């Protein structure tokens, strides 16, 4: 087989030419690679002329060994000194020009920037051109003595694998990418879509007609409805939105501050949206029998047969933004953000070679299926000769980077860096949502609102109109098996010797597990309670096999708190919706997500008899570091504002007593680490300002309870206000710490 300047003899001659160019003794390639290469060459038509073999081999080596990385960084960094910055598309163009030694292409790109001739020449002077001989020299340095990435030692068995990866890229480099794409996707060149994003979006499965839905729950529209009706309307809307929104699209629910039961509605919305869809799941990573046994053994209870076979899914909770129209003197609007991630088995062609030879066998995150390109003639194969792994979500995020019109200004991102904001108006809410959670050209629906600017999106507006109201929607949801696994009453089997410490005439300390110690207290004897419980699996002293076990433990202890409180007394419960794995579907890293602990606690406490009064956000100020902020990308889908506030949930035992609460608590967390050492003595102390919320509403001489005393902050606050205090603490070291701090 002779194909222009491809050596005669077809594949055999091509292999010979490859080894002649790289000046390496010939090795035997695997049968699979040889078959793939032969099949690829046979499918090419005579009109598809190959490029120069030597140039193709040099480019393949450069790309695989990343030999132009240093030049690329020099250009980008040098340009930045002149305040010239490149977007992702331009950066790709720079790298492509370097791999092809095309300085003219680089000059044209720099000419498009606001640079003087001298500045442009200076940037170009930083490039150290790599000769073909230098490329081959570096190739032999890395391939002749390959290092194992794990052991960091030379592993000669890797040489053949690396050569196969480079040879695969060499064949890819020989032909125009357009020919390769058409061959792999099976389309005529007249129908070719140059842009991969346009190519896959011709498939209805990947349309972007409803990438974001927003609803404004204002007082005017819902003032005539009682709370249960409003909740039913919103739950029904959430269910309908889940079916309508594109995969990996977003749902934003904006609750106006004047809405009755503001915080209770927000809590129920989060709980319903994430767990409303109950169904049997037979995917291989879900092991219901194992989860049931773990839960049953821990709680020492036998569940009904089959009660763990279903899972509850829905949207993934992203965040709740507290948006104050002032400086915190009035209640905030709440903006709740969800993302839809549904496992989709639709095959996605490889973004590089557009082959449909892909295999999906893993999930980087719940609801997100990834694919691996199995085409051996693909330029994106790794040096270990593995196909690149990708998902529709990763393609979506890459498109956000590649699209020049999707860039978000730093002023917007700086404004929305935290999830608690002050002096906020509607227009900036709309702009933030549109720019950060959709792409130019996407379809967006706004209910009960109309943004002035569409920012290049296709926006439709609508009034929130629903069909027949299903009054059983919420009740059916809370009757699902999910709640039966943890939200039930159980006779405590705990028993141990109670150790009591009289620390002063004001402070009484019970040492032991609160599930047991609180039983020693008389009913209706406590004037108020405040605590920050051990967070689920967040510390070494608070480890539970799964979320069911933790929630049930909190319920058992809080049941005792409810019993001991006087009618009309309140329980201030500080908790944070942090990231962890519920371990109720899968225990691997793919199960890690934003927890909805506050919503689950609210529901559990209401079933105990508590009334949910309000929530006082604790604004902790600026967070050190930028963990999970935006990975340096100023584009949609990378924006994950820092979680800067915690919940202070206010529950009340029914009875006549009035309280005054602020709309926000602004104070810094306790400083415990000094030069890497915990000088405070406790890993998670809460500030005195939190128990002060309760103490300011009590009279001197009254009695408060903290069922998780920790470092004794509640007792310190109580003493300053002349209030008596009962503490319960299980850990010996913290009992000693409390004694030390009180003395």
């Amino acid at each position: 087989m002779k194909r222009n300047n491809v050596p005669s003899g077809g594949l055999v001659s091509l292999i010979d030419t490859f080894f002649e160019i790289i000046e390496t003794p010939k090795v035997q390639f695997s049968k699979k690679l040889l078959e793939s290469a032969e099949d690829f060459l046979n499918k090419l038509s005579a009109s598809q002329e190959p490029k120069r073999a030597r140039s193709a081999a040099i480019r393949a080596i450069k790309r695989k060994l990343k030999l132009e990385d240093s030049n690329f960084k020099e250009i980008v960094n040098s340009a930045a000194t002149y305040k010239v910055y490149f977007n992702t598309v331009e950066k790709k163009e720079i790298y492509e020009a370097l791999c092809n030694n095309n300085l003219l292409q680089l000059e044209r790109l720099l000419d498009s920037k606001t640079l003087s001739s001298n500045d442009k020449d200076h940037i170009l002077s930083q490039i150290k051109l790599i000769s073909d001989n230098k490329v081959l020299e570096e190739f032999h340095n890395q391939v002749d003595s390959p290092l194992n990435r794990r052991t960091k030692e030379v592993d000669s068995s890797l040489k053949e694998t690396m050569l196969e990866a480079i040879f695969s890229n060499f064949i890819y480099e020989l032909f125009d990418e357009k020919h390769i794409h058409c061959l792999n996707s099976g389309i005529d060149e007249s129908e070719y879509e140059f842009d991969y994003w346009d190519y896959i979006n011709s498939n209805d499965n990947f349309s972007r007609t409803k990438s974001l839905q927003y609803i404004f729950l204002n007082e005017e529209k819902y003032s005539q409805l009682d709370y249960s009706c409003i909740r039913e309307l919103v739950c029904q809307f959430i269910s309908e939105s889940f079916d309508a929104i594109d995969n990996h699209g977003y749902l934003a629910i904006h609750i106006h501050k004047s809405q009755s039961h503001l915080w209770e509605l927000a809590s129920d919305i989060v709980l319903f949206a994430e767990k409303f869809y109950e169904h049997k799941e037979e995917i291989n990573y879900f092991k219901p029998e194992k989860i049931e046994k773990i839960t049953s053994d821990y709680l020492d209870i036998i569940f009904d047969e089959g009660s763990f076979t279903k899972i509850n899914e829905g949207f993934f909770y992203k965040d709740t933004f507290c948006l104050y129209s002032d400086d915190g003197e009035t209640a905030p609007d709440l903006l709740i953000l969800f993302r839809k991630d549904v496992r989709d088995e639709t095959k996605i062609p490889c973004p590089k070679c557009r082959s449909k030879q892909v295999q999906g066998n893993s999930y980087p995150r719940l609801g997100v299926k990834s694919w691996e390109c199995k085409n051996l003639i693909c330029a994106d194969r790794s040096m270990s000769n593995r196909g690149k792994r990708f998902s529709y979500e990763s393609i979506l995020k890459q498109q956000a980077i590649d699209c020049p019109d999707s860039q978000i200004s730093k002023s917007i991102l700086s404004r929305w860096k935290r999830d608690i904001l002050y002096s906020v108006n509607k227009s900036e809410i709309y702009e933030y949502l549109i720019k950060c959670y959709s792409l130019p050209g996407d379809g967006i629906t706004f209910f009960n609102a109309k943004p002035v600017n569409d920012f290049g999106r296709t926006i439709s507006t609508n009034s929130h109109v629903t069909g027949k109201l299903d009054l059983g929607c919420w009740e059916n949801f809370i009757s699902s098996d999910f709640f039966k696994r943890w939200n039930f009453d159980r006779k405590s089997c705990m028993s141990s010797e109670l150790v009591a410490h009289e620390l002063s005439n004001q402070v009484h300390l019970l040492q032991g597990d609160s599930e047991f110690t609180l039983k020693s207290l008389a009913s209706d004897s406590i004037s108020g309670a405040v605590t920050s419980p051990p967070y689920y699996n967040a510390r070494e002293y608070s480890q539970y096999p799964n979320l069911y076990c933790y929630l049930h433990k909190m319920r058992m202890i809080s049941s005792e708190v409810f019993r001991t409180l006087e009618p009309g007394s309140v329980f201030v419960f500080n908790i944070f919706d942090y990231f962890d794995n519920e371990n109720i579907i899968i225990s691997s890293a793919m199960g890690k997500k934003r927890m909805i602990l506050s919503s689950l606690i609210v529901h559990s406490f209401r079933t105990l008899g508590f009334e949910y009064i309000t929530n006082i956000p604790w604004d902790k100020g600026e967070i050190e570091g930028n963990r999970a902020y935006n990975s340096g990308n100023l584009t949609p889908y990378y924006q994950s504002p820092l979680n800067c506030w915690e919940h202070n949930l206010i529950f009340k035992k029914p009875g006549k007593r009035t309280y005054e609460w602020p709309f926000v608590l602004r104070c810094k967390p306790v400083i415990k680490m000094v030069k890497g050492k915990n000088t405070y003595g406790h890993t998670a102390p809460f500030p005195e300002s939190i128990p002060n919320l309760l103490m300011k509403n009590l009279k001197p001489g009254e009695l408060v309870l903290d069922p998780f005393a920790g470092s004794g902050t509640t007792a310190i606050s109580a003493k300053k206000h002349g209030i008596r205090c009962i503490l319960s603490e299980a850990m010996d070291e913290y009992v000693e710490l409390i004694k030390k701090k009180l003395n």
Side-chain angles (χ1 to χ4, degrees), residues 571-591:
F571 187 9
V572 180
F573 197 87
N574 167 242
I575 200 162
F576 182 44
D577 296 330
Y578 57 97
F579 286 82
D580 211 317
N581 191 342
E582 295 176 335
N583 292 319
I584 60 176
I585 295 178
I586 189 170
S587 57
S588 69
M590 67 179 279

Side-chain angles (χ1 to χ4, degrees), residues 358-408:
V358 296
Q359 181 176 316
N361 54 8
S362 68
Y363 301 84
R365 197 176 68 246
L366 282 174
V368 178
K369 180 165 185 171
S370 70
W371 302 88
E372 181 183 348
C373 179
K374 307 302 285 185
N375 177 22
L376 296 180
I377 311 301
C378 179
D380 270 355
R381 295 191 72 77
S382 69
M383 285 300 283
S384 59
N385 208 22
R386 291 291 303 271
K388 187 173 183 178
R389 193 168 291 282
F390 60 93
S391 65
Y392 180 66
E393 185 199 35
S394 68
I395 293 167
L396 181 63
K397 294 176 80 171
Q398 185 60 49
Q399 173 63 15
I401 293 175
D402 291 345
C403 178
D405 294 335
S406 70
Q407 293 292 307
I408 307 166

Side-chain angles (χ1 to χ4, degrees), residues 208-213 434 438-446 451 453-461:
R208 304 290 299 167
T209 57
K210 291 186 176 65
S211 64
L212 169 65
Q213 281 197 178
I434 293 169
S438 71
L439 291 175
D442 280 3
I444 302 174
T445 306
F446 275 75
N453 197 326
D454 61 17
F455 302 104
R457 280 68 169 175
T458 302
I459 293 181
S460 59
T461 57

Side-chain angles (χ1 to χ4, degrees), residues 238 351 364 452 654 738:
I238 290 169
V452 175
I738 292 169

Side-chain angles (χ1 to χ4, degrees), residues 462-588:
N462 213 328
S463 212
H464 177 213
V465 178
T466 186
K468 184 179 178 182
L469 184 60
D470 179 9
L471 292 176
C473 187
W474 174 260
E475 291 302 321
N476 289 337
F477 165 61
I478 62 173
S479 299
S480 65
D481 287 344
F482 169 80
F483 296 97
K484 296 174 184 176
R485 297 166 195 153
W486 61 275
N487 200 40
F488 55 85
D489 296 321
R490 175 176 62 90
K491 185 176 180 180
S492 176
C493 58
M494 294 195 64
S495 61
S496 64
E497 183 180 351
L498 175 63
V499 181
H501 305 269
E502 293 290 341
L503 303 186
S504 72
N505 59 354
Q506 278 186 284
V507 183
H508 185 71
L509 173 61
L510 305 175
Q511 185 173 357
D513 191 306
S514 296
E515 189 177 338
F516 170 72
T517 61
L518 298 190
K519 293 183 182 299
S520 66
L521 304 179
S523 299
D524 304 332
S525 62
I526 304 295
S527 308
V530 58
T531 199
S532 181
Y535 293 168
Y536 163 75
N537 291 1
R539 294 286 186 267
E540 67 282 353
Y541 55 77
S542 179
Q543 293 296 308
Y544 294 83
N546 60 39
L547 186 63
Y548 299 137
C549 300
Y550 173 80
L551 291 172
H552 186 73
K553 181 70 173 180
M554 291 301 106
R555 178 184 170 83
M556 293 292 288
I557 293 170
S558 300
S559 175
E560 287 299 314
V561 174
F562 182 83
R563 179 186 63 80
T564 61
L565 284 174
E566 298 170 353
S569 297
V570 296
F571 187 9
V572 180
F573 197 87
N574 167 242
I575 200 162
F576 182 44
D577 296 330
Y578 57 97
F579 286 82
D580 211 317
N581 191 342
E582 295 176 335
N583 292 319
I584 60 176
I585 295 178
I586 189 170
S587 57
S588 69

Side-chain angles (χ1 to χ4, degrees), residues 669-674 677-688 709-714 716 733-734 736-738 740-741:
V670 176
I671 297 174
K672 58 183 185 290
M673 303 301 293
V674 179
K677 183 179 180 181
N678 189 328
T679 59
Y680 192 85
H682 194 283
T683 58
F686 65 176
E688 214 172 302
S711 58
T713 304
T714 297
I716 295 170
E733 61 185 282
Y734 291 151
E736 295 306 313
L737 178 63
I738 292 169
K740 179 181 176 181
K741 288 194 175 293

